[in-house]
Amino acid sequence: MARKTLAVLISGRGTNLQSLLDAAAQGDFPCTVGLVVSNRPGAPGLERAARAGVPHMTIDHRAFGKGEEGRAAFEAVLTEALADAGADLVCLAGFMRILTNSFVKRWEGRLINIHPSLLPAFRGLNVHQRMIDAGVKIAGCTVHFVSAEMDSGPIIGQAAVPVLPGDDAEALAARILIEEHRLYPACVRLLAEERARLQANGTVAFAPDVAAGAALLNPAPH
Ligand code: GRF
């Protein structure tokens, strides 16, 4: 099967982007990263793309003005860039911009996100502190298809980590991030190999040969 082309959308430091770049540098990974787009000028993740020799660009959303018109104009430019790059799959990796329904529809089944909680718990922002405040004992991360509502799309894979006594948001975020960096490439692999796909009824179907451990990284099933 030909390698698929990923586009990765970022806004910041880009450690999840790095995990995808590192995976793509391995010969047996079924994708290459064809484009990295940041909506924020100077995002450190752009440097990571440069170091990996991957085409990268900034599409500064602020240049398109506010309101619905500005959002649509921003997405039109983004859509063109993704099409020019021949993107098969679009990965949001710390992309801090809400996408419109029409963009989400256009990429339905090919647009995925990583979120640092075990969805559907703790959608939105500031999740690490909110998990500590809530006293949860198990946290984790989720890779999911993007749907119109934020952090709500069909789940592809998850990994869990403990919340330990004395954790602050930073310590918990660091523990989850280690799993994020394993989970995102694993889920991208499943999609690129067409061993996982979004079905019309909004659930995710896995090929019969997909081991439970492919999408449930930690704890591994036994
Ligand atoms: C990650 O925690 C990711 O789950 C969330 O935003 C953060 C991005 O980090 N969506 P990075 O830019 O990939 O380092």
Side-chain angles (χ1 to χ4, degrees), residues 39-65:
N39 69 313
R40 292 217 179 113
L46 290 167
E47 277 297 312
R48 298 176 185 274
R51 275 201 297 276
V54 166
H56 52 283
M57 64 196 292
T58 300
I59 305 176
D60 185 350
H61 63 275
R62 291 168 308 184
F64 298 88

Side-chain angles (χ1 to χ4, degrees), residues 12-17 93-94 113-116 177 180:
R13 67 187 170 173
T15 66
N16 279 288
L17 162 65
N113 181 44
I114 185 155
H115 181 77
L177 198 61
E180 292 187 42

Side-chain angles (χ1 to χ4, degrees), residues 4-58:
K4 299 263 161 58
T5 301
L6 299 184
V8 185
L9 308 191
I10 63 166
S11 300
R13 67 187 170 173
T15 66
N16 279 288
L17 162 65
Q18 189 69 54
S19 76
L20 295 171
L21 292 169
D22 291 348
Q26 306 296 316
D28 76 328
F29 197 66
C31 314
T32 54
V33 181
L35 180 66
V36 173
V37 179
S38 171
N39 69 313
R40 292 217 179 113
L46 290 167
E47 277 297 312
R48 298 176 185 274
R51 275 201 297 276
V54 166
H56 52 283
M57 64 196 292
T58 300

